[in-house]
Amino acid sequence: KAGVTQTPRYLIKTRGQQVTLSCSPISGHRSVSWYQQTPGQGLQFLFEYFSETQRNKGNFPGRFSGRQFSNSRSEMNVSTLELGDSALYLCASSLVKTGDEQYFGPGTRLTVT
Amino acid sequence: GQSLEQPSEVTAVEGAIVQINCTYQTSGFYGLSWYQQHDGGAPTFLSYNALDGLEETGRFSSFLSRSDSYGYLLLQELQMKDSASYFCAVRLGGSQGNLIFGKGTKLSVKP
């Protein structure tokens, strides 16, 4: 089976712009979670989607949003980018909702200048 | 609030055994997981403890004690390829259910 894929892998944006990141889960996985990873804060949970419904949301501002499509693919959007949004954004999929065994994609490295 | 504490760095030699501890302060969770992440790579799942006790998967073992709010990952017969960061994570209970990660422990294996 193919693993979790994320596009794009690298992205450079300027402050104030918006960005959309994409994640394709492992075939058959219906749960997709998003995380932000930074050297200072580590891995922080953004949100989880299961069957097109957002189940959980982390402590991030409303500028961070996401959605899931009927084929389980997911996108996350960050509007009005700030310098502090520079991070590695990781997507993980699991077979069941809030699965304990999560499979991570390679991440999208976002740099905001 | 919820938090997980891990040592930031651990160094060991090839062939040795190393234990990475994880202490947590969280009110109610389903289980404790461990993930490995090599530099530049994605986290990969290592193990999960739903119940107290020891879980063994090859050279890796993980332990959980809910009464002590403590868990650990034990790596035996260390190899150079085990040099990576290791994260503990808990899945919150109740209406949340999201994963909370520790800050990670960077393991360096020396020859």
Side-chain angles (χ1 to χ4, degrees):
Chain A
K1 273 187 184 178
V4 177
T5 58
Q6 292 186 245
T7 56
R9 293 292 313 277
Y10 303 91
L11 206 49
I12 300 175
K13 292 285 190 178
T14 56
R15 277 178 298 177
Q17 288 186 312
Q18 75 163 17
V19 66
T20 299
L21 311 181
S22 181
C23 170
S24 292
I26 291 172
S27 177
H29 284 195
R30 295 166 61 192
S31 172
V32 174
S33 298
W34 288 89
Y35 299 87
Q36 181 195 66
Q37 187 173 32
T38 59
Q41 297 300 317
L43 267 163
Q44 292 187 287
F45 172 79
L46 279 157
F47 25 66
E48 182 201 3
Y49 287 88
F50 182 82
S51 293
E52 301 177 66
T53 301
Q54 186 180 91
R55 290 198 67 248
N56 301 299
K57 191 177 195 304
N59 189 24
F60 278 83
R63 300 185 297 107
F64 291 81
S65 63
R67 59 178 176 169
Q68 186 180 34
F69 302 96
S70 58
N71 61 359
S72 294
R73 191 176 68 84
S74 177
E75 288 181 348
M76 68 162 281
N77 183 276
V78 188
S79 62
T80 321
L81 283 166
E82 300 177 0
L83 294 179
D85 297 333
S86 294
L88 180 66
Y89 290 88
L90 291 159
C91 161
S93 75
S94 61
L95 194 57
V96 297
K97 54 187 172 184
T98 329
D100 298 295
E101 185 169 346
Q102 300 213 342
Y103 295 83
F104 283 82
T108 295
R109 173 73 63 187
L110 172 65
T111 302
V112 182
T113 62
Chain B
Q2 297 94 7
S3 67
L4 293 94
E5 299 294 326
Q6 306 177 234
S8 57
E9 294 183 20
V10 172
T11 302
V13 296
E14 215 173 357
I17 298 173
V18 72
Q19 178 174 312
I20 299 174
N21 297 325
C22 174
T23 56
Y24 56 85
Q25 293 179 10
T26 180
S27 52
F29 66 96
Y30 287 110
L32 182 70
S33 306
W34 288 92
Y35 287 80
Q36 177 193 61
Q37 186 178 29
H38 287 97
D39 284 347
T44 56
F45 174 82
L46 290 177
S47 68
Y48 173 68
N49 291 72
L51 304 173
D52 282 9
L54 192 68
E55 293 284 341
E56 296 179 76
T57 311
R59 294 187 298 114
F60 294 177
S61 303
S62 58
F63 174 82
L64 173 63
S65 169
R66 290 177 186 268
S67 59
D68 296 322
S69 298
Y70 163 74
Y72 66 73
L73 178 70
L74 190 73
L75 297 85
Q76 303 181 72
E77 300 172 20
L78 280 174
Q79 301 175 10
M80 298 296 289
K81 67 178 181 179
D82 297 329
S83 293
S85 290
Y86 293 84
F87 298 87
C88 59
V90 294
R91 183 161 68 86
L92 297 178
S95 61
Q96 300 184 67
N98 45 291
L99 274 180
I100 304 296
F101 283 82
K103 291 286 179 71
T105 299
K106 189 170 179 64
L107 171 65
S108 298
V109 180
K110 307 293 186 187

